Amino acid sequence: MQTTATARQTPALRREDCLKCEIWNSELFPSRPVDLFEQITQSVEHLFFQPQERLYASGAGGEYVFSVRAGVVKLVKDLPNGGERIVRIKIKDQLLGLETLLKQPYHHTAIAITPVQACRIPVSLLKDLDEHYPGFHQQVIRRYQQMVDEADVFITDLSTGQSHARIARLLLHYFDDGLSEVWHHPAREDLASMLGITIETTSRLMAEFKRNGYINEENGRLSLRDVAALKRLAED
Amino acid sequence: MQTTATARQTPALRREDCLKCEIWNSELFPSRPVDLFEQITQSVEHLFFQPQERLYASGAGGEYVFSVRAGVVKLVKDLPNGGERIVRIKIKDQLLGLETLLKQPYHHTAIAITPVQACRIPVSLLKDLDEHYPGFHQQVIRRYQQMVDEADVFITDLSTGQSHARIARLLLHYFDDGLSEVWHHPAREDLASMLGITIETTSRLMAEFKRNGYINEENGRLSLRDVAALKRLAED
DNA sequence: CGACATGTTGAATGTCCTCAAGGTCCGTGG
DNA sequence: CCACGGACCTTGAGGACATTCAACATGTCG
């Protein structure tokens, strides 16, 4: 399992590399003592996931928070009618499963969209850090704020208005920056599930955007060609 | 301004009553010292708001967190096309404007839906508490988790599927419990803005629900008549 | 009473979904 | 090597659904 597409694309991280995780690199650990290193390397596991693989499942009692080191993870919730809706997208340096800090079961199912590398951090370690390092909780609060912000984007930008506007906003938000370097080829199903529309509508509109020269997709690589036009569409 | 409809409906709270706020009543202040009381009563203001009045506006640099003591507040974001979308509903014992803890301007506009009583808490006070009372930040984290959870409800329940299902879910979620005691008569515009649909569609479907006996609205008081039927609709 | 905001209802249009068929790509097995 | 199946994407046609624009009703407040 170690010899994955991931391992070939990007050099495989080792357990020691978990120390490079953004959450330990904070100014909040001014004098990182040796025992902190030890504690981390002993309890944090570095894991690989293939596309479609689950990091955890909704409702499961969670003991771990995950930190994404490479790749893209979707957080999904099942719908009553059998489908599923994506509620957030997690990329490098973002944390998943923070609800376990409050002893709650996972609220979503976390699924790798691309090959993913992630650190699995025991809740007990985070609680230790919280006690010994005043100011560590600021990190957690900051990340919660990020989550709320992204949730608001999903509500206002991805769930409001007509579908061509929603797609334009999605493209601008997730494929105009470095994310497209990692998430080359979004599946129509995932786009649709982020927007609350059907796969067919998504496919039709993506095809139309291609025809109009707004976007491009060659050898499985999506890129934005006419950002101005997309911004115009996104306005309404 | 003190002699408001609010003051008549529910007994007006005084500044001392801010101490009864749920956030001070936590087990996290095991030995509430006198100086804490003093600090709170000196810096926390107790305010009244009429429907349509704003507690704060999106983009403004914020110095205050608000705690709702009575009534209902909506958090809205402006849309590019001129409309606005409600992203959360705040009721008793919920906090607004936590983003100011991170020195960020308010992310939403907070508007009273009903008459509202709220405590206005300076960020500096909360920072003090955070320093002197280890464990206070747990309160903040817990509330952030609540916000994320409600945001997810807005994404999966109120922004997904056909409009009659969305309305049914909204009614079950917000008018099946104690909230209907406070929020008697939801404006069609607010319901529509929570669901991302038009006022007309909302009006038509509410009328249909009334005709079918699922809900009732007399002397400006909404109540659910057939929860089972609504739950059936909510499933899809 | 008249003015204004809010809610309701109708008719026409437009958007999106459903159902269906066909296409492409890729891995597997004959 | 090619045939086949499966997963995914595309496209079309029809119908269901939501929006738009409009008229009218209701209620509130001066």
Side-chain angles (χ1 to χ4, degrees):
Chain A
M1 179 184 168
Q2 240 61 340
T3 332
T4 64
T6 312
R8 269 176 257 118
Q9 284 184 8
T10 28
L13 296 171
R14 295 154 174 247
R15 184 176 281 193
E16 306 91 86
D17 293 318
C18 270
L19 290 177
K20 294 186 187 141
C21 204
E22 201 254 326
I23 66 170
W24 320 127
N25 277 349
S26 158
E27 64 281 1
L28 297 169
F29 301 104
S31 60
R32 288 194 296 178
V34 177
D35 61 339
L36 176 63
F37 281 85
E38 303 249 330
Q39 207 179 358
I40 290 173
T41 50
Q42 274 174 20
S43 61
V44 174
E45 290 277 344
H46 196 257
L47 303 175
F48 295 79
F49 298 91
Q50 291 301 312
Q52 314 300 336
E53 278 189 317
R54 298 175 166 203
L55 285 75
Y56 54 77
S58 174
E63 311 258 306
Y64 301 102
V65 169
F66 291 80
S67 172
V68 178
R69 304 304 316 282
V72 181
V73 177
K74 60 179 173 183
L75 292 193
V76 312
K77 269 186 171 260
D78 292 325
L79 299 176
N81 67 30
E84 62 181 34
R85 175 99 201 232
I86 298 176
V87 298
R88 269 181 291 291
I89 293 291
K90 294 287 183 175
I91 59 170
K92 193 167 181 303
D93 288 331
Q94 297 192 335
L95 297 183
L96 294 80
L98 281 180
E99 57 269 35
T100 57
L101 290 176
L102 301 173
K103 301 199 210 312
Q104 295 179 12
Y106 292 118
H107 290 192
H108 317 92
T109 300
I111 305 176
I113 286 184
T114 67
V116 163
Q117 302 188 39
C119 290
R120 196 188 64 181
I121 309 165
V123 172
S124 56
L125 171 60
L126 294 177
K127 288 217 186 295
D128 275 7
L129 289 172
D130 185 21
E131 283 177 19
H132 298 345
Y133 296 86
F136 174 69
H137 63 269
Q138 276 293 334
Q139 283 279 353
V140 176
I141 291 176
R142 195 178 305 278
R143 282 151 198 285
Y144 262 108
Q145 182 64 51
Q146 279 178 18
M147 290 197 287
V148 174
D149 291 342
E150 195 189 2
D152 286 348
V153 169
F154 266 75
I155 298 171
T156 59
D157 293 12
L158 306 188
S159 303
T160 307
Q162 303 188 154
S163 37
H164 56 261
R166 298 192 198 181
I167 293 195
R169 298 189 200 117
L170 188 158
L171 292 170
L172 290 169
H173 195 275
Y174 286 101
F175 294 94
D176 192 21
D177 56 355
L179 183 45
S180 57
E181 304 286 310
V182 186
W183 195 10
H184 303 304
H185 180 55
R188 299 294 177 263
E189 186 176 1
D190 286 330
L191 298 178
S193 178
M194 292 175 73
L195 298 167
I197 62 180
T198 60
I199 296 172
E200 292 94 325
T201 300
T202 309
S203 177
R204 274 185 252 271
L205 290 172
M206 290 290 284
E208 187 187 321
F209 282 14
K210 255 186 272 186
R211 254 180 273 120
N212 296 353
Y214 300 159
I215 62 175
N216 197 24
E217 250 180 344
E218 45 195 23
N219 42 6
R221 216 176 181 87
L222 173 63
S223 61
L224 308 193
R225 290 271 149 176
D226 191 342
V227 171
L230 290 173
K231 282 189 175 156
R232 233 177 298 122
L233 285 176
E235 294 299 313
D236 190 336
Chain B
M1 177 184 168
Q2 239 63 341
T3 332
T4 63
T6 312
R8 272 176 256 118
Q9 283 186 9
T10 29
L13 295 171
R14 295 153 173 246
R15 184 176 281 193
E16 306 90 86
D17 293 318
C18 271
L19 290 177
K20 295 187 186 142
C21 204
E22 201 255 326
I23 66 170
W24 320 127
N25 277 349
S26 157
E27 64 282 0
L28 297 168
F29 300 104
S31 61
R32 287 195 296 179
V34 176
D35 62 338
L36 176 64
F37 281 84
E38 304 248 329
Q39 208 179 357
I40 291 172
T41 50
Q42 275 176 21
S43 60
V44 174
E45 291 278 344
H46 195 256
L47 303 175
F48 296 79
F49 297 92
Q50 291 302 310
Q52 314 301 335
E53 278 189 316
R54 299 174 166 204
L55 284 75
Y56 54 77
S58 175
E63 312 258 306
Y64 301 103
V65 169
F66 291 80
S67 172
V68 179
R69 304 304 315 284
V72 181
V73 177
K74 61 179 173 182
L75 292 192
V76 312
K77 270 187 169 258
D78 293 325
L79 298 175
N81 68 30
E84 62 183 32
R85 175 99 201 232
I86 298 176
V87 298
R88 269 181 290 292
I89 293 290
K90 294 287 183 176
I91 59 171
K92 193 168 181 302
D93 289 330
Q94 296 191 335
L95 297 183
L96 293 80
L98 282 180
E99 57 268 34
T100 57
L101 290 177
L102 300 173
K103 301 198 210 311
Q104 296 179 13
Y106 292 117
H107 290 192
H108 317 93
T109 300
I111 305 176
I113 287 184
T114 67
V116 162
Q117 301 187 38
C119 290
R120 196 188 64 180
I121 309 165
V123 173
S124 55
L125 171 61
L126 293 177
K127 288 216 186 296
D128 275 5
L129 289 173
D130 185 22
E131 282 176 19
H132 298 343
Y133 296 86
F136 174 70
H137 64 268
Q138 276 293 331
Q139 283 279 354
V140 176
I141 291 176
R142 195 178 305 277
R143 282 151 198 286
Y144 262 108
Q145 182 64 52
Q146 279 177 18
M147 289 197 287
V148 174
D149 290 343
E150 195 188 2
D152 286 348
V153 168
F154 266 76
I155 298 171
T156 59
D157 292 13
L158 305 188
S159 303
T160 307
Q162 302 187 157
S163 37
H164 57 261
R166 298 192 198 181
I167 293 195
R169 298 190 199 116
L170 187 158
L171 292 170
L172 290 168
H173 196 273
Y174 287 100
F175 294 94
D176 192 21
D177 56 354
L179 183 45
S180 57
E181 304 286 310
V182 185
W183 195 10
H184 304 302
H185 180 53
R188 298 295 176 262
E189 186 176 1
D190 287 331
L191 297 178
S193 178
M194 293 175 73
L195 298 167
I197 61 180
T198 59
I199 296 172
E200 292 94 326
T201 300
T202 308
S203 177
R204 273 184 253 272
L205 289 173
M206 291 291 283
E208 186 187 320
F209 282 14
K210 255 187 272 187
R211 256 180 270 121
N212 297 352
Y214 300 160
I215 62 175
N216 197 24
E217 251 182 342
E218 45 194 24
N219 42 5
R221 214 176 182 85
L222 173 63
S223 61
L224 308 193
R225 290 271 150 175
D226 191 343
V227 171
L230 290 173
K231 282 188 175 157
R232 233 177 299 122
L233 285 176
E235 294 299 315
D236 189 331

